[in-house]
Amino acid sequence: MQSNTSDLSHTLPPDFPLHWQIQIGSILHEHEQIHAWLEIDLDSQLNFSSGLIAITAHRILARMANDENWQAWPYRQGMRLTYQDHAGVCSIELSNTHARLACWYCTLSRNQAVDQLITCFSRLIAANTTQPDDTAAELTGNNDADNELASAEDSESSPASDQEATAAPPSTWILFRLWRFARPYKWQLFTGFILMLGSTAAALVPPYLTMPLMDNVLIPYQNGHPIDIDLVTFYLSGLLAAAILAWILGWSRTYTLARVSERIGADLRTTTYEHLLKLSQAYFGGKRTGDLMARIGAETDRINLFLSLNLLDFATDVLMITMTVIILISINPWLALITLLPLPIIAWLIHLVRDRLRVGFEKTNRVWAEVNNVLADTLPGIRVVKAFAQEEREIERFHTVNQRNVEINDRVNKVWALFTPTVTLLTECGLLVVWIFGIWQVSQDHITVGVLTAFLAYIGRFYLRLDSMSRIVSATQKAAAGTKRIFDILDHVSSVPEPVKPVHLPAMKGHIELRHISFRYGTRRVIQDLNFTIEPGEMIGLVGHSGSGKSTLINLICRFYDVTDGSILIDGVDIRALPITEYRKHIGLVLQEPFLFFGTIAENIAYGKPGTSRREIIAAARAAHAHEFILRLPYGYDSLVGERGQALSGGERQRISIARALLIDPRILILDEATSSVDTQTEQEIQGALDNLVSGRTTIAIAHRLSTLQEASRLIVLDHGRIVETGNHEELMARQGYYYQLYQSQSRSSDDENQPDTSEKIMDTRGSRV
């Protein structure tokens, strides 16, 4: 039975798109509700279009704007919804264990909605293939599927490796993967375990000594017997010795294991950062700086805290509970059995809330990464924010993500706030039952008062440790969520791998050959069957409209990406056979917007060649025409350039960048719009520096102003990833083809800009005539 399209308020969320309400109303069953939806903005040919994917409790619906009918897929075991990012295009794939069922495309502006859609789908598909326990749903607050959608799930942005990202919650078992980092410290960990065993055993001695103190000293004294001073001294000495031994062993255990956990955390942080830097440029295309910083910073800190504090407490609690149970059973098995009654109930509660907390903490981590993303966007661009008077807008943007962070934390705290007091109540009830049964045992002369006193002392420690161990559930799930986000980086395989059998060039000459190379961003072909050769020492210019493939070609030659088809050869060797670091050391790159690191000018010039002498730094600066302005700075070469070089002008930053490239003496030089963002006078100064840089090197130049490429020995004109013309400036102008049209168009634009404004003069002349 279909629902009435005029009354959809009970089935559609309040913010559901209006233009889709009537259309989807025709397909929804009675009482069928939309739990999540996504408006897609690309069709199968990657042209801009519109469509909708909607998820209900039992099926997934989809339709493009130009389709006549809706498509529907009921949930089945093994169905998966995954997504992949490919250089700005997000592909969403629905599949089962046998085949792909459907595929949709959208831009990365829909990324957060995609994350929410996939998370909701994973939750609903699990609910349809397994029957959840009603009590568990009530305890964890999961009795309404509309209440919660996940925040951003990671995407692996790699056109070559096609890494998949799914919204499956992380398992606690992922923590065992940290053993990879703990293995080098296995003997220190073993020592810590022995110390933990000893300190726990020493802490259990005092309650055991209370039995003879009560039965052999205090109770006989109440019955009229004198106190045996020697016996009291013996027992009290035992208590003191046990306390001192427990303190010494506890301090040694804590210090040893804390040192190990700090080193494990440091190794984890270093390994993650090292692996991150070795990933290809494609990986960073779909990532946010704040998110990556949060993973390496906050997530590793959380894991380190878990290893150094929570895991240590958990292990101590387990040992204490185990030893306590053994002692209780040895003293009185029936009383011990009564003591253990709350344990199965607490274990059941932990099982109920564990997954809920784990998913909740993963969402918290991701929303916190969004907060970092806003900061990473706003603070570096503070000049733009102030220039456009957008402070209030950015404040509202931060408030929105911060409020979402609060809301998700409130959901997690709601679950945790119910769980913790419940465990405490159960332990108090267990203690009450022990009192009742213990008093009855004493009244029946089955146990002595000393035994009951010792039992109560042990039970106090037992329930304290049980309560502590239940609280560690929260920290464990936080650590599991953080570990998953760390291993999302470590498990990613670079789309630009190191060669299995590397070839080493003894001396690079700079001969470049492109053989039938093609390259795709996802399904969009950007470079198509390019063939040309660059001789050593030759300078060529790449010319073409924006989007013709010039910068992509540069990225391929630098091996920031690998070609999809064909090969690029340097001195007759495929660059994929060369070690990446060794190959890139022969490439000097000068970009349109040079990036300078926070530090001194000398450190920035020497970035590509650490440890170089001050003499070489000055020589490179002189050749780059930067020496004069550097000397005018307050501290010369030791002057700080500020965050991203903000203390310098654009032309000064560019000349520092040229000096940096000169210092490494590259055989291949790449100039990517090196003078397009500066004025004419600065361009002339930079051009002089570039003349020194180009001399004797194989050079590939891209320039916005075609006039700057007239000195190139050859110009390669690109259009839609293909070569349309080749030749020098004079030859191409004589042909009056594609290059000629570009040059004339640019010349007319330049003439229009340089033409004086005579409107005011004409008005004055007309005014005088009147």
Side-chain angles (χ1 to χ4, degrees):
M1 179 177 179
Q2 306 298 325
S3 64
N4 187 350
T5 59
S6 63
D7 183 17
L8 297 171
S9 59
H10 64 290
T11 60
L12 300 180
D15 54 347
F16 191 82
L18 292 174
H19 56 281
W20 283 104
Q21 287 189 6
I22 295 179
Q23 299 180 49
I24 201 168
S26 64
I27 191 69
L28 290 178
H29 299 301
E30 186 176 7
H31 304 303
E32 187 176 20
Q33 295 185 355
I34 300 294
H35 293 291
W37 73 92
L38 168 68
E39 282 193 278
I40 52 181
D41 53 3
L42 296 176
D43 61 17
S44 59
Q45 302 301 317
L46 301 185
N47 297 318
F48 284 105
S49 183
S50 62
L52 184 77
I53 306 172
I55 288 180
T56 72
H58 302 290
R59 59 179 179 160
I60 181 169
L61 308 170
R63 179 182 176 182
M64 297 300 297
N66 55 355
D67 290 343
E68 295 184 1
N69 301 314
W70 287 86
Q71 292 179 292
W73 295 269
Y75 298 148
R76 295 289 185 267
Q77 185 76 30
M79 287 183 68
R80 291 176 47 187
L81 192 64
T82 59
Y83 71 90
Q84 305 159 11
D85 290 345
H86 299 291
V89 176
C90 180
S91 61
I92 308 154
E93 184 176 292
L94 178 67
S95 61
N96 57 23
T97 55
H98 303 292
R100 184 173 74 173
L101 304 177
C103 187
W104 305 276
Y105 301 93
C106 64
T107 61
L108 286 184
S109 62
R110 303 289 198 271
N111 204 19
Q112 186 171 1
V114 174
D115 298 330
Q116 296 175 349
L117 183 86
I118 294 179
T119 303
C120 182
F121 174 84
S122 299
R123 179 158 48 83
L124 291 173
I125 196 75
N128 276 268
T129 54
T130 58
Q131 294 296 326
D133 188 89
D134 293 338
T135 309
E138 182 178 353
L139 178 64
T140 59
N142 195 23
N143 55 352
D144 186 354
D146 286 328
N147 283 343
E148 192 165 347
L149 293 175
S151 63
E153 179 68 28
D154 286 337
S155 61
E156 300 296 341
S157 175
S158 173
S161 59
D162 288 337
Q163 294 294 320
E164 293 183 349
T166 62
S171 170
T172 309
W173 292 101
I174 198 173
L175 291 172
F176 286 98
R177 297 189 66 183
L178 295 174
W179 174 248
R180 160 186 169 186
F181 299 93
R183 187 181 292 111
Y185 308 100
K186 57 184 177 181
W187 292 113
Q188 293 93 321
L189 289 171
F190 179 74
T191 301
F193 176 76
I194 297 299
L195 291 171
M196 183 188 304
L197 196 64
S199 63
T200 303
L204 291 173
V205 170
Y208 198 86
L209 293 178
T210 58
M211 285 191 297
L213 272 174
M214 291 291 296
D215 293 337
N216 300 336
V217 177
L218 296 180
I219 293 178
Y221 175 74
Q222 284 186 331
N223 294 331
H225 297 281
I227 292 179
D228 188 339
I229 301 299
D230 294 335
L231 190 59
V232 170
T233 302
F234 174 76
Y235 289 143
L236 294 181
S237 299
L239 290 173
L240 178 61
I244 293 175
L245 181 61
W247 175 80
I248 294 174
L249 294 176
W251 175 84
S252 302
R253 171 208 64 187
T254 303
Y255 180 71
T256 300
L257 295 180
R259 279 176 57 88
V260 172
S261 65
E262 285 293 338
R263 280 150 181 78
I264 293 174
D267 292 346
L268 177 64
R269 200 157 31 240
T270 300
T271 302
T272 305
Y273 182 68
E274 179 181 347
H275 184 77
L276 187 66
L277 291 187
K278 291 182 179 180
L279 293 177
S280 67
Q281 189 71 23
Y283 177 82
F284 297 93
K287 297 297 180 182
R288 301 290 298 276
T289 302
D291 177 56
L292 294 177
M293 291 174 62
R295 295 191 194 203
I296 296 179
E299 303 295 2
T300 53
D301 282 344
R302 184 176 290 114
I303 294 170
N304 190 38
L305 180 64
F306 170 76
L307 294 175
S308 61
L309 183 62
N310 303 122
L311 186 60
L312 176 62
D313 290 343
F314 178 78
T316 304
D317 293 340
V318 171
L319 281 175
M320 180 69 77
I321 289 174
T322 303
M323 292 182 175
T324 302
V325 168
I326 293 173
I327 293 174
L328 290 178
I329 292 175
S330 66
I331 295 175
N332 190 297
W334 287 107
L335 201 54
L337 182 62
I338 295 297
T339 303
L340 299 178
L341 282 179
L343 194 58
I345 304 176
I346 294 175
W348 178 72
L349 289 175
I350 291 174
H351 173 72
L352 290 184
V353 304
R354 181 181 57 191
D355 291 339
R356 184 69 171 176
L357 287 175
R358 184 168 59 246
V359 174
F361 286 132
E362 187 181 12
K363 295 175 185 176
T364 302
N365 294 344
R366 299 189 182 284
V367 174
W368 183 247
E370 284 298 314
V371 174
N372 285 334
N373 287 335
V374 174
L375 294 175
D377 285 345
T378 307
L379 296 182
I382 192 65
R383 292 180 63 190
V384 178
V385 174
K386 291 184 176 295
F388 287 89
Q390 293 299 307
E391 290 90 344
E392 293 300 324
R393 175 186 175 185
E394 294 300 336
I395 290 172
E396 179 60 28
R397 183 181 167 206
F398 183 84
H399 172 75
T400 300
V401 296
N402 197 35
Q403 185 61 32
R404 177 164 172 77
N405 180 50
V406 172
E407 291 171 358
I408 290 182
N409 275 285
D410 284 345
R411 296 172 189 170
V412 175
N413 292 334
K414 183 179 180 180
V415 176
W416 188 242
L418 175 64
F419 171 72
T420 305
T422 303
V423 173
T424 303
L425 175 64
L426 289 173
T427 56
E428 293 296 333
C429 291
L431 186 61
L432 179 62
V433 172
V434 170
W435 267 108
I436 295 173
F437 188 74
I439 292 173
W440 180 80
Q441 289 274 73
V442 171
S443 67
Q444 298 297 315
D445 292 330
H446 294 161
I447 60 173
T448 64
V449 174
V451 171
L452 179 60
T453 303
F455 242 89
L456 292 174
Y458 278 120
I459 289 170
R461 298 183 180 220
F462 176 83
Y463 285 146
L464 179 65
R465 293 295 183 175
L466 196 61
D467 185 63
S468 173
M469 192 167 64
S470 67
R471 294 175 190 273
I472 292 174
V473 173
S474 171
T476 303
Q477 304 317 312
K478 286 182 180 180
T483 303
K484 178 184 180 298
R485 283 165 55 78
I486 289 293
F487 277 97
D488 281 344
I489 296 177
L490 294 176
D491 292 341
H492 185 87
V493 179
S494 175
S495 61
V496 182
E498 289 282 356
V500 178
K501 296 181 179 180
V503 177
H504 302 277
L505 293 177
M508 183 178 289
K509 298 176 182 178
H511 182 275
I512 303 175
E513 181 181 359
L514 280 70
R515 292 182 180 174
H516 301 284
I517 70 165
S518 298
F519 180 72
R520 293 190 302 267
Y521 282 120
T523 58
R524 182 168 60 94
R525 189 176 291 273
V526 182
I527 299 293
Q528 305 183 49
D529 195 30
L530 292 190
N531 282 281
F532 64 86
T533 300
I534 308 174
E535 298 298 330
E538 183 183 11
M539 177 181 179
I540 70 162
L542 298 180
V543 179
H545 285 295
S546 296
S548 60
K550 304 185 300 296
S551 295
T552 300
L553 184 55
I554 294 300
N555 288 333
L556 294 175
I557 293 175
C558 291
R559 214 189 164 206
F560 295 148
Y561 301 90
D562 271 343
V563 295
T564 307
D565 300 300
S567 59
I568 300 176
L569 283 73
I570 300 294
D571 295 347
V573 179
D574 193 320
I575 62 173
R576 288 171 292 192
L578 300 174
I580 296 176
T581 302
E582 181 180 313
Y583 168 61
R584 289 179 183 159
K585 284 183 178 180
H586 294 287
I587 298 176
L589 185 61
V590 180
L591 301 173
Q592 177 181 357
E593 296 183 3
F595 187 94
L596 300 185
F597 296 92
F598 185 86
T600 66
I601 288 179
E603 290 170 346
N604 273 278
I605 293 176
Y607 183 77
K609 191 178 178 182
T612 190
S613 67
R614 182 59 63 97
R615 183 186 299 275
E616 293 176 290
I617 293 173
I618 294 175
R622 286 184 184 275
H625 294 193
H627 182 67
E628 290 73 16
F629 87 78
I630 293 175
L631 292 182
R632 290 195 296 268
L633 296 175
Y635 299 101
Y637 284 86
D638 294 321
S639 299
L640 293 175
V641 300
E643 186 82 15
R644 303 190 182 186
Q646 293 300 315
L648 304 176
S649 69
E652 290 169 343
R653 290 198 298 270
Q654 192 63 281
R655 278 175 279 178
I656 295 296
S657 175
I658 293 172
R660 181 168 59 192
L662 271 169
L663 188 62
I664 65 173
D665 190 22
R667 297 309 308 152
I668 300 172
L669 178 63
I670 295 176
L671 308 176
D672 190 356
E673 304 277 10
T675 62
S676 63
S677 59
V678 296
D679 56 69
T680 304
Q681 180 180 354
T682 305
E683 181 185 1
Q684 293 175 353
E685 296 175 357
I686 294 176
Q687 195 62 48
L690 290 176
D691 291 340
N692 294 332
L693 183 59
V694 167
S695 178
R697 295 181 172 89
T698 303
T699 304
I700 304 172
I702 300 174
H704 176 69
R705 299 183 182 97
L706 298 180
S707 58
T708 62
L709 295 178
Q710 294 183 18
E711 300 300 322
S713 57
R714 194 156 39 110
L715 299 177
I716 297 176
V717 185
L718 299 175
D719 183 38
H720 293 93
R722 295 181 181 274
I723 298 177
V724 293
E725 286 184 316
T726 303
N728 59 36
H729 174 71
E730 290 77 13
E731 293 171 349
L732 295 177
M733 290 297 290
R735 294 176 193 171
Q736 296 190 1
Y738 193 90
Y739 176 81
Y740 175 83
Q741 296 173 11
L742 283 175
Y743 191 87
Q744 291 298 322
S745 175
Q746 194 173 101
S747 298
R748 285 193 297 269
S749 300
S750 178
D751 291 341
D752 291 341
E753 292 175 1
N754 295 330
Q755 185 176 357
D757 187 358
T758 59
S759 59
E760 186 176 351
K761 183 183 293 186
I762 294 173
M763 291 179 64
D764 291 342
T765 304
R766 289 179 177 176
S768 62
R769 286 179 180 176
V770 173

